[in-house]
Amino acid sequence: MSTTAIATNIQEVLDQLGIKKMNEGASTGAQWINTKGEQIDSYSPVDGELIGSVKSATLEDYETIIATSQKAYKTWRTVPSPKRGEIVRQLGIKLREYKEPLGKLVSYEMGKSYQEGLGEVQEMIDICDFAVGLSRQLNGSTLHSERPVHRMYDQYHPLGTVGIISAFNFPVAVWAWNTALAWICGDVCVWKPSEKTPLTAIACQNITNEVFKENDVPEGVSNVLIGGADLGIAMANDKRVPLVSATGSTRMGKSVGEAVGKRLGKSLLELGGNNAVILTPSADLKIVLPGVVFGAVGTTGQRCTSTRRVIVHESIYDQVKDVLVKAYNQLKIGNPLDESNHVGPLIDADSVNTYLAAIEKVKAEGGKVLVEGKKLTGEGYESGCYVSPSIAEVENSYEIVQHETFAPLLYLIKYSGDVNNAIEIQNGVKQGLSSSIFTNNIRESEQFLSASGSDCGIANVNIGTSGAEIGGAFGGEKETGGGRESGSDAWKVYMRRQTNTINYSTELPLAQGIKFDF
Ligand code: NAD
């Protein structure tokens, strides 16, 4: 399909996904609630057009949604997990049917490439498949009791209402990572998506509603609340929400973590990164280039796993610098629905200003800007959200380098000596999400993966920092928040663990040999 055809059939996409010009901002599954909050207008960063509007949810709507979810939980927790899995299986099938329109809307509302939009929907499908298998494997352990004629085991029960707060940059996949697992675990979900991408959230809810209605799933198992931070703050403070899974900035995560912690609830925090790639003298530069460039400019540097820093050994530094600068000068920037473009827009004008200010800070701190990013104007750039990517030579200690700038600003940092010096630089930031090393030296790669190596939640060898497979547990350490979601045993956070001891004797022996006769 040609670019114009993709761009002009957005109305068809909206119709397919049940999105109107003006939409309600809350749903319990069975119905959309007549919300009366402030109007949110969703403009596409691709061409600046108004896509649609939403009447956001108020705190009164929040109460309705939470109450409905609490009621639904009483039924949902009694449905056998494989039966809940069957419904998630059907959701995965429905998502396959809607993959193209949903992928396109993700691209048009958020600004990532159409291929990445489709990739996000594919992640949703994959996590549904993963959750279906898992629905028969929510296993605890059988344990040996120290008391005779006793049996011990542990088992997992659902938690109740799970609150999900998500960011604009993965507007649909993060929701699916959480809900697919939470639902098979027997939880009910209340989603507060980013107010910057409300329409993709409405589309997800409409798709889910179709499947849930066909299966008579109770109203209140899948809920969405569209609006600003006030709804997320309400969730964080609400003891009826035992788990809050929050994805977004470290600033937001600190606020949510503190509020949830105060009431001794559970939080799963997926926050900002400051991801680095280490290039050692033996790095295969042929694979480095696509890994680093995609990692830094893909999704216009708006992935939590985007490559922010490249730590290069002095022996190959000039060569790497030349190759990167050359590659950056060839990047094509424009409509992300056109596959020939490498870089699309940033999410909004604020983000453009933050990016330009960060470049100025680099200069003010003494950094050397090798490729200076600019705001692009003229034909094709009418939305005002397009910028060209930057590369700068810096020191890791600069204040600006210590921060996550959510834009395509790549820092080059030189190291000398052995790999431990590079690892020290890589770990010398507050965040700890994704990291990688390119090397053909097994001593270096093993050192990087050892306990004295990378301190991040993700550590890759000969792969960039950006992106991850759903099969692994995803998340990071330090100011990235410590949460894990998606694959491996991340499901355990959506459940409470219970240890059971059963006495089938005629005596009552106490543990630790304690005697209590009377
Ligand atoms: P953001 O923090 O501005 O907003 C994220 C969500 O939190 C939104 O839904 C927002 O309404 C809500 N929110 C804001 N303040 C809140 C508060 N005090 N209490 C409760 N909710 C609140 O983030 P963003 O700009 O949408 O997303 C970009 C950030 O997200 C980056 O820092 C990126 O690294 C991070 N991110 C992390 C991951 C991860 O898995 N680690 C994934 C995606 C994005």
Side-chain angles (χ1 to χ4, degrees):
M1 193 183 277
S2 77
T3 314
T4 11
I6 291 172
T8 52
N9 73 356
I10 284 299
Q11 190 51 52
E12 200 182 301
V13 164
L14 297 175
D15 292 342
Q16 274 174 288
L17 296 169
I19 291 163
K20 298 172 262 173
K21 275 202 165 66
M22 178 60 75
N23 300 271
E24 309 295 351
S27 169
T28 54
Q31 54 183 321
W32 284 92
I33 294 173
N34 183 8
T35 43
K36 296 198 172 58
E38 232 171 77
Q39 182 173 320
I40 300 175
D41 295 323
S42 180
Y43 290 93
S44 170
V46 174
D47 56 12
E49 293 292 321
L50 177 67
I51 319 174
S53 304
V54 185
K55 288 181 276 168
S56 61
T58 59
L59 289 174
E60 211 176 296
D61 300 318
Y62 172 86
E63 280 304 318
T64 309
I65 292 281
I66 295 290
T68 314
S69 78
Q70 300 269 286
K71 193 162 162 252
Y73 173 58
K74 292 201 170 133
T75 312
W76 188 242
R77 67 183 171 189
T78 66
V79 175
S81 179
K83 293 224 155 37
R84 298 191 292 248
E86 165 55 21
I87 291 158
V88 171
R89 188 185 70 81
Q90 292 180 35
L91 177 61
I93 291 171
K94 196 67 87 185
L95 286 167
R96 285 171 168 89
E97 289 168 19
Y98 283 103
K99 184 172 172 181
E100 283 193 21
L102 187 56
K104 214 168 278 177
L105 181 60
V106 166
S107 172
Y108 192 56
E109 190 176 40
M110 185 273 159
K112 62 176 66 177
S113 76
Y114 179 44
Q115 283 309 313
E116 288 178 275
L118 291 176
E120 242 202 276
V121 184
Q122 187 57 46
E123 273 193 28
M124 302 168 83
I125 294 167
D126 293 342
I127 195 75
C128 285
D129 288 357
F130 181 86
V132 177
L134 201 57
S135 70
R136 292 180 186 270
Q137 297 177 71
L138 301 175
N139 55 323
S141 321
T142 55
L143 308 156
H144 286 258
S145 171
E146 66 186 43
R147 288 168 277 186
V149 203
H150 278 56
R151 188 164 70 81
M152 247 170 92
Y153 66 100
D154 60 23
Q155 60 172 341
Y156 288 86
H157 290 308
L159 290 170
T161 298
V162 171
I164 301 161
I165 298 170
S166 60
F168 78 84
N169 65 328
F170 275 89
V172 295
V174 167
W175 166 77
W177 286 4
N178 282 280
T179 51
L181 296 194
W183 283 329
I184 61 113
C185 289
D187 298 313
V188 297
C189 298
V190 177
W191 181 24
K192 208 293 287 170
S194 167
E195 55 274 48
K196 293 179 184 175
T197 49
L199 302 179
T200 46
I202 292 176
C204 290
Q205 182 73 11
N206 282 340
I207 293 168
T208 311
N209 288 355
E210 262 185 69
V211 177
F212 279 25
K213 265 184 207 155
E214 282 162 19
N215 288 278
D216 292 324
V217 172
E219 172 181 17
V221 173
S222 168
N223 307 277
V224 68
L225 275 166
I226 293 168
D230 56 327
L231 300 168
I233 291 169
M235 240 181 219
N237 285 287
D238 192 338
K239 62 180 180 341
R240 294 169 296 177
V241 184
L243 169 66
V244 179
S245 170
T247 301
S249 58
T250 295
R251 179 193 46 75
M252 177 280 291
K254 282 183 177 168
S255 156
V256 169
E258 195 181 319
V260 176
K262 245 186 206 157
R263 60 178 173 87
L264 300 182
K266 287 212 267 182
S267 52
L268 190 176
L269 301 176
E270 297 281 355
L271 313 173
N274 194 347
N275 318 297
V277 170
I278 295 174
L279 303 182
T280 76
S282 69
D284 179 350
L285 294 183
K286 189 169 78 275
I287 60 172
V288 162
L289 186 67
V292 169
V293 177
F294 174 72
V297 309
T299 330
T300 323
Q302 296 170 112
R303 287 187 178 211
C304 50
T305 53
S306 290
T307 307
R308 310 279 174 214
R309 299 174 294 147
V310 190
I311 303 161
V312 192
H313 192 265
E314 59 183 357
S315 62
I316 54 168
Y317 186 83
D318 287 339
Q319 192 186 353
V320 169
K321 184 167 94 174
D322 290 348
V323 171
L324 282 176
V325 168
K326 209 164 149 204
Y328 267 53
N329 286 327
Q330 287 167 6
L331 289 173
K332 285 183 69 186
I333 303 148
N335 188 329
L337 290 158
D338 177 343
E339 279 178 42
S340 67
N341 286 324
H342 303 109
V343 184
L346 286 169
I347 185 70
D348 54 22
D350 282 351
S351 193
V352 172
N353 293 335
T354 307
Y355 173 57
L356 298 176
I359 298 170
E360 292 309 315
K361 278 189 198 149
V362 169
K363 290 187 205 163
E365 286 197 71
K368 186 173 173 202
V369 180
L370 303 171
V371 180
E372 183 163 349
K374 303 242 176 326
K375 178 177 169 174
L376 303 178
T377 51
E379 203 188 328
Y381 302 131
E382 289 84 355
S383 71
C385 299
Y386 289 87
V387 295
S388 54
S390 307
I391 308 181
E393 288 182 296
V394 298
E395 297 293 332
N396 199 54
S397 56
Y398 290 179
E399 222 233 316
I400 187 69
V401 176
Q402 292 285 316
H403 280 96
E404 177 196 46
T405 299
F406 217 52
L409 170 52
L410 182 67
Y411 299 124
L412 280 188
I413 300 165
K414 196 186 281 183
Y415 83 95
S416 49
D418 73 12
V419 74
N420 290 309
N421 296 336
I423 293 171
E424 199 177 317
I425 296 170
Q426 121 83 35
N427 291 345
V429 290
K430 290 179 279 185
Q431 309 83 350
L433 182 53
S434 186
S435 59
S436 95
I437 189 168
F438 282 78
T439 179
N440 281 335
N441 180 333
I442 194 169
R443 291 197 177 125
E444 289 175 339
S445 62
E446 289 298 319
Q447 181 64 10
F448 175 73
L449 299 174
S450 75
S452 332
S454 164
D455 62 3
C456 292
I458 296 168
N460 296 329
V461 176
N462 292 334
I463 300 174
T465 60
S466 175
E469 297 185 21
I470 62 106
F474 182 86
E477 301 301 328
K478 302 194 289 185
E479 287 200 354
T480 302
R484 292 295 184 278
E485 58 190 17
S486 191
S488 187
D489 64 352
W491 61 270
K492 288 183 178 168
V493 78
Y494 301 91
M495 305 199 85
R496 63 186 167 89
R497 182 195 293 231
Q498 186 175 69
T499 303
N500 308 109
T501 310
I502 300 146
N503 174 8
Y504 59 102
S505 76
T506 54
E507 309 289 321
L508 189 70
L510 299 177
Q512 292 95 41
I514 292 169
K515 296 271 178 260
F516 190 71
D517 295 329
F518 59 91

